[in-house]
């Protein structure tokens, strides 16, 4: 997939959702943003630094990239050890610090994992596992997160919990969060900004609450109704 004239920014304290049907360029965009793919023209700047000039270690300290629905965690991990691995890029001489362990306690509490800290990850439910993965990301204390379809295969309860955690990162870390998402209702409800891709081009880049049914209908090649309830802005 070749993206065509794609330009946008993710600001601190902002959740940006990327919408588009399959094959529209969402995965390519995320892979470019993380450095997994190289740009042929143009540049990607992270805090005014070209991502191609950052080492792997610098990228690991700057960006938390989470492929939640695809990530496999070795079954021998217990929760607290897995979450603590989020500090690995910052270790000095191979050791974690007192501050790392204090942060671990804070993050486990934020992610409602205090009662699971000694539980083996293989014993966790799908939603609990996603919280565990997010907790590991929070351990970096960076302010740029990228999520690839973080709410896919989640039920409503865990979808809500994901965005509650995203809001914690947004507020407490002044984090910019970029995520690809299929669910239009969730995107409009929780994202500040939406980017809609169609045939590898941006067809909308603006406030989530101001997106129209016409833009969505064209991008998804299907009729989108603007009927809404107290909870949902669109349904399809």
């Amino acid at each position: 997939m070749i993206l065509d004239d794609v330009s946008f920014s993710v600001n601190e304290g902002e959740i940006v959702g990327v919408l588009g049907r399959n094959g529209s360029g969402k995965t390519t965009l995320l892979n470019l943003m993380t450095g997994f793919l190289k740009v042929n023209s143009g540049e990607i700047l992270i805090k005014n630094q070209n991502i191609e000039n950052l080492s792997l270690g610098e990228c690991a300290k700057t960006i938390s990239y989470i492929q939640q629905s695809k990530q496999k965690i070795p079954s021998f991990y217990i929760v607290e050890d897995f979450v603590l691995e989020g500090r690995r890029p910052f270790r000095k001489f191979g050791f974690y610090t007192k501050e790392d362990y204090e942060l671990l306690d804070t993050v486990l509490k934020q992610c409602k994992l205090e009662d699971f800290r000694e539980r083996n990850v293989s014993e966790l439910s799908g939603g609990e596992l996603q919280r565990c993965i997010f907790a590991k990301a929070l351990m970096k204390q960076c302010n740029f997160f990228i999520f690839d379809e973080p709410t896919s295969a989640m039920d409503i309860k865990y979808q809500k919990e994901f965005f509650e955690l995203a809001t914690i990162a947004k507020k407490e870390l002044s984090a910019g969060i970029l995520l690809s998402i299929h669910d239009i209702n969730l995107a409009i409800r929780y994202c500040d900004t939406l980017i809609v891709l169609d045939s590898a081009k941006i067809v909308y880049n603006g406030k989530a609450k101001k997106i129209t049914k016409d833009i969505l209908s064209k991008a998804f090649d299907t009729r989108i109704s603007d009927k809404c309830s107290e909870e949902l802005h669109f349904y399809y």
Side-chain angles (χ1 to χ4, degrees):
M1 176 64 65
I2 299 176
L3 297 177
D4 184 13
D5 193 26
V6 169
S7 179
F8 67 95
S9 61
V10 180
N11 300 312
E12 292 183 351
E14 179 183 36
I15 300 177
V16 178
V18 182
L19 284 168
R21 53 185 155 170
N22 291 337
S24 62
K26 299 190 302 297
T27 299
T28 299
L29 177 62
L30 296 191
N31 285 334
L32 287 168
M33 294 293 294
T34 55
F36 291 161
L37 291 178
K38 300 298 181 182
V39 296
N40 293 322
S41 63
E43 57 185 4
I44 298 171
L45 303 178
I46 306 291
K47 293 184 176 180
N48 295 320
Q49 289 184 289
N50 192 316
I51 193 172
E52 293 189 354
N53 295 331
L54 298 177
S55 67
L56 290 176
E58 290 170 328
C59 280
K61 292 179 180 179
T62 305
I63 304 171
S64 279
Y65 176 48
I66 302 95
Q67 292 176 292
Q68 289 189 312
S69 62
K70 303 172 185 176
Q71 185 166 346
K72 303 296 183 182
I73 303 174
S75 59
F76 58 79
Y77 268 114
I78 62 172
V79 168
E80 64 177 2
D81 288 343
F82 175 74
V83 174
L84 187 60
E85 285 282 292
R87 295 302 297 170
R88 178 179 283 273
F90 304 90
R91 289 193 307 180
K92 296 180 179 178
F93 308 110
F95 294 98
Y96 295 111
T97 66
K98 176 184 176 183
E99 289 74 22
D100 291 333
Y101 286 101
E102 290 174 347
L103 178 61
L104 173 65
D105 292 337
T106 298
V107 169
L108 289 176
K109 183 176 181 180
Q110 288 175 329
C111 296
K112 301 177 184 178
L113 290 169
E114 291 175 292
D115 295 337
F116 297 87
R117 63 186 306 152
E118 295 183 4
R119 185 87 62 87
N120 192 287
V121 294
S122 63
E123 300 172 3
L124 301 180
S125 69
E128 291 162 354
L129 185 60
Q130 305 305 344
R131 276 187 289 162
C132 192
I133 293 170
F134 202 142
K136 180 182 176 182
L138 284 176
M139 288 293 290
K140 285 190 179 184
Q141 294 291 282
C142 66
N143 63 353
F144 186 37
F145 292 78
I146 298 177
F147 294 94
D148 184 8
E149 298 289 350
T151 58
S152 63
M154 280 191 188
D155 61 29
I156 294 174
K157 174 186 176 182
Y158 291 119
Q159 289 175 347
K160 181 180 178 181
E161 286 187 355
F162 167 82
F163 280 104
E164 288 174 349
L165 293 174
T167 301
I168 289 174
K170 168 185 167 179
K171 293 181 177 178
E172 297 190 7
L173 299 176
S174 296
I177 299 171
L178 179 68
L179 57 91
S180 61
I181 185 169
H182 274 301
D183 193 305
I184 296 172
N185 299 314
L186 286 175
I188 292 174
R189 183 174 183 181
Y190 290 105
C191 295
D192 301 296
T193 298
L194 289 180
I195 294 170
V196 180
L197 291 174
D198 185 15
S199 301
K201 294 182 179 181
I202 292 179
V203 294
Y204 181 81
N205 180 3
K207 297 294 184 182
K209 298 296 189 293
K210 292 186 177 181
I211 196 167
T212 67
K213 64 176 182 178
D214 292 334
I215 291 171
L216 291 169
S217 295
K218 183 177 180 181
F220 284 90
D221 193 25
T222 190
R223 180 179 175 272
I224 304 291
S225 172
D226 59 0
K227 291 182 179 180
C228 61
S229 66
E230 183 179 348
E231 294 294 326
L232 303 178
H233 294 269
F234 293 87
Y235 73 89
Y236 60 99

